Amino acid sequence: MKQDMIVILDLGSTENTKLARDIREMGVYSEIYPHDITASELKELPNVKGIIINGGPNNVVDGSPIDVRPELYEAGYPVMAAGHNAAACERSIHSWDEADSDQVLRSFVFDTCKAQPNWNMKNFISDQVELIRQQVGDKKVLLALSGGVDSSVVAALLIKAIGKQLTCVHVNHGLMRKGESESVIDVFKNQMDANLVYVDAADRFLGKLAGVADPEQKRKIIGAEFICVFEEEARKLEGIEFLAQGTIYPDIVESGTKTAKVVKSHHNVGGLPEDLNFTLVEPLRQLFKDEVRACGLELGLPHSMVYRQPFPGPGLGVRCLGAITRERLEAVRESDAILREEFANAGLDKTVWQYFTIVPDFKSVGVRDNARCFDYPVIIRAVNTVDAMTASIERIDYDVLQRITDRILKEVKNVNRVCYDLSPKPTATIEWE
Ligand code: XMP
């Protein structure tokens, strides 16, 4: 890292992440560290220009008061206390109140710490390329490339750094959206000339899932089978020492530091095949999601890949309710493709956070071609949210809904009704499981 850094010390404030983001938005790199970091640990960090002690309410975590080590005040860095407990921080040199926080923060970062605004994706990429080359040398790296934003950006970064020393494995579990595996192959194999192993494991996954209706059980099977397939592919490849992963900064912060509570545990498909003994390469571990996207664009990934909507690791498996069958899976995939196409035509892909279709495992009576039919419904869901913890319903124009409905009823087999889900989260969740 050549970039200047402001260190935020975590005294249990929920605002740490926002503060780090605010500083990065000023073009200065910032990271959160535990409150009890020692002066010598701090001195080992690259290019530290100043410290912000960001307190939780009264500096109390789990009932016990906490503070930073007094030696930090003597370590030679400018120190500022932030948060409502500023007065409680020992000997802090600067402090702010809420009213003028942006100006105070700017003045601390630029005037007091004299930090250079040199945090940008071009610099990040050139730093990481160098670091990856140093870490990996002439050895080989393996990456599970799902086609999601994080794994795609890791792949692009590693291709830039080490080219064919990277092998990407794309496992198609048969629960991908329409065109998704094709676009992974097109972008990475055809355009970026990557070493890409494509594994069509659809039959295998669907075989294991046959007759399984319980949502948690389905997730477990998909997760375990994914590891199994990935491991098999890894064992076929000779001499791989490193495993690349798309871990990003919120994964680290939300998984809990000493003083921050665990916000959510991660539930993606995959995980480490432990006995393979890989060393991890995690070049995005410092980035927030929007920075990952900016990095992807800078590396030349298509906008559609970088701004892809969130998609569960177990894929369409969570939207094909009950025991998955090929006919209902096909109905979810085709109706989802129509929904995405019509949302894009209406410009809604730029404003709506997440939208998809669900096919439940029950039928109802309808009429088609003057005859009784007994088919599945398709449910449309379109929600807006900031953090996926709560969500509101998008008010879709009636004409757009009508067009989507007409197309689904005409083009998707085994479907005779289309419904629109009006339930916010809570009480509903975003997905239907
Ligand atoms: P729920 O249904 O809990 O979903 O309201 C919240 C958000 O999480 C997404 N989701 C997942 N994301 N792996 C992911 O990366 C998963 O296994 C997974 N399951 C749900 C969901 O699409 C929504 O955006």
Side-chain angles (χ1 to χ4, degrees), residues 11-311:
L11 278 80
S13 166
T14 50
E15 296 287 303
N16 287 330
T17 310
K18 183 177 179 302
L19 187 54
R21 294 181 58 99
D22 286 349
I23 297 171
R24 289 192 194 186
E25 262 161 35
M26 294 174 187
V28 176
Y29 186 59
S30 176
E31 267 187 36
I32 304 161
Y33 284 90
H35 69 96
D36 57 355
I37 190 169
T38 63
S40 60
E41 283 167 342
L42 197 63
K43 284 191 172 139
E44 275 173 22
L45 300 175
N47 310 328
V48 175
K49 293 288 167 183
I51 307 170
I52 298 180
I53 300 169
N54 197 33
N58 306 319
N59 291 356
V60 171
V61 169
D62 292 336
S64 315
I66 53 170
D67 205 345
V68 300
R69 291 173 192 267
E71 66 190 51
L72 292 194
Y73 296 99
E74 318 297 339
Y77 302 104
V79 179
M80 177 165 83
H84 8 250
N85 67 316
C89 272
E90 229 186 282
R91 284 181 293 160
S92 64
I93 297 166
H94 298 73
S95 68
W96 79 43
D97 61 29
E98 300 297 324
D100 59 353
S101 57
D102 185 61
Q103 199 37 50
V104 174
L105 187 60
R106 264 180 191 285
S107 144
F108 176 71
V109 170
F110 294 115
D111 304 335
T112 312
C113 301
K114 308 237 173 328
Q116 294 301 310
N118 50 11
W119 170 245
N120 60 55
M121 283 307 128
K122 270 199 173 59
N123 289 346
F124 171 80
I125 291 168
S126 72
D127 273 4
Q128 287 303 320
V129 164
E130 211 174 290
L131 288 171
I132 292 165
R133 287 180 183 155
Q134 271 171 24
Q135 186 188 4
V136 170
D138 60 357
K139 302 291 190 304
K140 292 183 189 162
V141 182
L142 182 63
L143 169 72
L145 175 58
S146 66
V149 179
D150 304 340
S151 70
S152 298
V153 175
V154 171
L157 189 52
L158 281 155
I159 291 165
K160 187 176 172 77
I162 55 167
K164 292 273 165 85
Q165 282 167 257
L166 172 74
T167 301
C168 304
V169 175
H170 176 67
V171 178
N172 179 354
H173 50 25
L175 305 165
M176 296 290 185
R177 287 176 290 198
K178 191 171 181 173
E180 212 150 32
S181 285
E182 290 82 352
S183 107
V184 168
I185 295 171
D186 185 49
V187 169
F188 291 99
K189 199 173 186 110
N190 303 346
Q191 297 175 32
M192 294 194 164
D193 195 27
N195 256 334
L196 174 71
V197 178
Y198 171 71
V199 190
D200 181 353
D203 288 345
R204 226 174 123 158
F205 278 82
L206 296 182
K208 287 260 156 95
L209 287 163
V212 181
D214 177 65
E216 279 304 308
Q217 198 58 29
K218 282 162 71 180
R219 274 183 178 269
K220 280 198 187 117
I221 291 173
I222 296 166
E225 195 58 17
F226 182 89
I227 292 177
C228 218
V229 174
F230 186 67
E231 212 168 348
E232 275 176 33
E233 292 305 318
R235 290 190 200 284
K236 286 185 205 161
L237 301 163
E238 300 272 301
I240 301 226
E241 288 191 17
F242 293 92
L243 182 76
Q245 283 196 332
T247 314
I248 70 172
Y249 203 48
D251 298 338
I252 292 167
V253 177
E254 287 178 9
S255 297
T257 58
K258 278 183 204 158
T259 35
K261 293 267 161 43
V262 173
V263 178
K264 72 175 188 194
S265 58
H266 288 273
H267 51 178
N268 260 342
V269 162
L272 264 183
E274 275 171 15
D275 65 323
L276 288 176
N277 278 330
F278 291 126
T279 304
L280 289 183
V281 182
E282 295 179 306
L284 307 182
R285 51 183 296 129
Q286 300 157 319
L287 299 190
F288 289 111
K289 195 78 181 190
D290 52 329
E291 293 171 328
V292 174
R293 293 198 163 97
C295 179
L297 289 181
E298 185 69 39
L299 288 161
L301 289 178
H303 191 274
S304 58
M305 191 167 253
V306 164
Y307 281 92
R308 190 178 100 130
Q309 38 168 334
F311 187 56

Side-chain angles (χ1 to χ4, degrees), residues 231-418:
E231 212 168 348
E232 275 176 33
E233 292 305 318
R235 290 190 200 284
K236 286 185 205 161
L237 301 163
E238 300 272 301
I240 301 226
E241 288 191 17
F242 293 92
L243 182 76
Q245 283 196 332
T247 314
I248 70 172
Y249 203 48
D251 298 338
I252 292 167
V253 177
E254 287 178 9
S255 297
T257 58
K258 278 183 204 158
T259 35
K261 293 267 161 43
V262 173
V263 178
K264 72 175 188 194
S265 58
H266 288 273
H267 51 178
N268 260 342
V269 162
L272 264 183
E274 275 171 15
D275 65 323
L276 288 176
N277 278 330
F278 291 126
T279 304
L280 289 183
V281 182
E282 295 179 306
L284 307 182
R285 51 183 296 129
Q286 300 157 319
L287 299 190
F288 289 111
K289 195 78 181 190
D290 52 329
E291 293 171 328
V292 174
R293 293 198 163 97
C295 179
L297 289 181
E298 185 69 39
L299 288 161
L301 289 178
H303 191 274
S304 58
M305 191 167 253
V306 164
Y307 281 92
R308 190 178 100 130
Q309 38 168 334
F311 187 56
L316 299 180
V318 301
R319 298 173 184 170
C320 184
L321 305 188
I324 296 170
T325 62
R326 284 179 195 261
E327 71 173 7
R328 283 192 305 111
L329 188 56
E330 201 52 27
V332 183
R333 185 176 286 123
E334 291 299 322
S335 56
D336 172 78
I338 291 170
L339 181 74
R340 285 193 284 142
E341 202 179 306
E342 291 300 332
F343 263 48
N345 289 342
L348 292 167
D349 56 336
K350 295 183 190 65
T351 56
V352 184
W353 196 79
Q354 195 174 12
Y355 44 96
F356 54 89
T357 61
I358 300 113
V359 175
D361 54 347
F362 58 80
K363 292 181 173 179
S364 71
V365 172
V367 277
R368 178 178 289 123
D369 303 331
N370 296 320
R372 178 186 186 277
C373 63
F374 194 48
D375 280 321
Y376 297 105
V378 162
I379 298 157
I380 297 175
R381 190 124 173 87
V383 297
N384 281 312
T385 176
V386 176
D387 55 8
M389 306 296 273
T390 62
S392 61
I393 301 310
E394 176 71 17
R395 286 173 172 250
I396 307 291
D397 181 77
Y398 222 81
D399 291 341
V400 177
L401 280 179
Q402 195 64 61
R403 200 158 45 242
I404 295 165
T405 303
D406 290 347
R407 280 195 61 193
I408 290 176
L409 293 178
K410 197 160 144 225
E411 297 170 36
V412 183
K413 286 193 202 109
N414 305 305
V415 170
N416 63 358
R417 281 175 204 273
V418 176

